[in-house]
Amino acid sequence: MNEMITGQTRLTGLLGSPVAHSISPMMHNEAFHQLNLDFVYLAFDVSSDNLKKAVDGLRAINIRGFNVTMPHKNEICNYMDKLTPISEMIGAVNTVINDNGHLTGHTTDGTGYLKAVEDAGYHIIGKKMTLLGAGGSAASICAQAALDGVAEIDIYKRKNATWNQTQLLVDKINKHTNCNVSLYDFSDTTNLRKSLKESSILTNATSIGMEPNIENCPITDETLFYPELIVSDIIYHPKETKLLKIAKRNGCFTCNGLYMLLYQGAASFELWTGQKMPISLIKEKYF
Ligand code: SKM
């Protein structure tokens, strides 16, 4: 933690629910401390009903910026003055920067995820991805992967009220990138088997398997996994989800959500402070 809170300490933080498990406060406060920056980062558990009030209050007290986590990554867009082109395209924000009352929404999840996969030594550019989920993090990963040159992405989601909205997102990404993105129903296991056979990476971008529901798993049919498929989860609490356990047991390579958290956080940190997060040091201490 910072040695001292002063009269000029700038506030940053996290809005979401739940947030008590988050490593972001440790990561950011340690980085502020290391760089001798007079900033502090706090986590705020905010319900959907209170999101607008929270944003109004944070703007009024001139917060420097904040992260947004589930379930607010889409809703928060309504309270921004400006969105970056990628946030505009996907309708999701995980990082807000406040310039004297003017709020700009960014998304750093996609770049964070791709950096984490690269850091783990996996190469997915030019290859195919199977992506589970279509929420804010999934949309950010999908758009960034398409922009970075992943060749094909098959998205699986439940056929619910947001299906048409996701199809519109898929159309936009197909229009603006060279990637071939398709949307499938989560219950279509025949097609899922085909997608996985053709993919080099499976990405779970749903919250299925996150604490406290650690017995839940988005894919339970073990015959769908094959050795050397990269199975990645954006969840970092627990570090090893049931999905990753099953994948490991079936000879897959695995990657949890910790490094994605680190790299998306490093990008947020730079937006708020203009300085690079001391990544190696933070990695050593908390990851
Ligand atoms: O997008 C990130 C968010 O910025 C921070 C976070 C956390 O602290 O758990 C998780 C992700 O949603």
Side-chain angles (χ1 to χ4, degrees), residues 7-209:
Q8 292 167 43
T9 302
R10 298 302 311 267
L11 178 64
T12 60
L14 173 67
L15 302 191
S17 190
V19 291
H21 66 279
S22 175
I23 300 178
S24 292
M26 269 106 82
M27 162 167 85
H28 286 287
N29 287 316
E30 180 68 39
F32 295 146
H33 171 69
Q34 290 298 332
L35 297 182
N36 213 9
L37 293 169
D38 193 3
F39 280 66
V40 68
Y41 185 107
L42 297 174
F44 301 102
D45 197 314
V46 176
S47 67
S48 298
D49 287 348
N50 282 327
L51 185 63
K52 184 173 184 317
K53 278 185 245 164
V55 174
D56 286 345
L58 292 173
R59 190 201 300 263
I61 61 167
N62 204 24
I63 191 167
R64 175 61 185 130
F66 54 95
N67 284 132
V68 184
T69 191
M70 54 181 243
H72 306 318
K73 288 183 180 185
N74 303 116
E75 174 72 16
I76 194 82
C77 294
N78 300 327
Y79 314 128
M80 297 293 103
D81 299 306
K82 191 178 159 199
L83 295 172
T84 59
I86 184 157
S87 275
E88 177 90 57
M89 174 161 93
I90 66 172
V93 158
N94 85 319
T95 303
V96 177
I97 180 162
N98 174 24
D99 292 304
N100 300 315
H102 189 266
L103 305 183
T104 306
H106 297 249
T107 177
T108 65
D109 285 324
T111 48
Y113 176 78
L114 281 139
K115 184 91 187 75
V117 170
E118 185 192 316
D119 205 53
Y122 303 133
H123 304 286
I124 59 167
I125 303 308
K127 301 192 179 154
K128 177 162 176 165
M129 169 188 275
T130 296
L131 178 62
L132 308 182
S137 306
S140 183
I141 290 170
C142 184
Q144 196 63 48
L147 287 168
D148 285 7
V150 168
E152 231 182 304
I153 303 173
D154 286 354
I155 303 178
Y156 283 81
K157 78 170 243 93
R158 279 173 300 159
K159 217 161 188 183
N160 60 10
T162 56
W163 180 270
N164 291 344
Q165 194 185 316
T166 306
Q167 186 58 59
L168 289 177
L169 170 69
V170 167
D171 296 343
K172 267 194 237 170
I173 299 177
N174 280 330
K175 192 170 162 207
H176 294 289
T177 70
N178 293 324
C179 186
N180 188 3
V181 187
S182 310
L183 178 61
Y184 296 102
D185 187 345
F186 218 153
S187 64
D188 184 353
T189 39
T190 310
N191 213 76
L192 179 60
R193 185 180 300 279
K194 182 171 173 289
S195 295
L196 288 173
K197 259 203 190 114
E198 294 167 354
S199 292
S200 51
I201 187 161
L202 164 67
T203 306
N204 176 39
T206 73
S207 56
I208 302 171

